[in-house]
Amino acid sequence: MLYRLLYALVLRRIPPETAHALAARSIALAGRLGLLRVFGRPDPALAVDALGLCFSSPLGVAAGVD
């Protein structure tokens, strides 16, 4: 419900480039504040072993995010 309201009032009204920049800055700020360490931990049940490596989550970052 909150997301629908946020989408209707804010997200669909800003240009995609502005939304991308805002999201990138928000993630950077959350990292500096330590919020990603607290809320960004994946559940241990999501761990994946692939190619001899153990990953804590099946999710990754898309190419070009760097």
Side-chain angles (χ1 to χ4, degrees):
M1 184 69 176
L2 178 62
Y3 178 77
R4 287 182 189 218
L5 181 63
L6 180 67
Y7 177 77
L9 296 177
V10 179
L11 296 179
R12 75 173 186 189
R13 297 172 193 255
I14 59 177
E17 294 84 7
T18 304
H20 177 79
L22 180 61
R25 288 184 190 143
S26 299
I27 292 170
L29 178 62
R32 283 194 297 271
L33 294 175
L35 296 174
L36 296 179
R37 234 179 271 125
V38 175
F39 296 107
R41 281 200 186 122
D43 187 332
L46 296 176
V48 174
D49 288 319
L51 303 172
L53 299 172
C54 182
F55 299 96
S56 60
S57 171
L59 301 178
V61 177
V65 174
D66 60 350

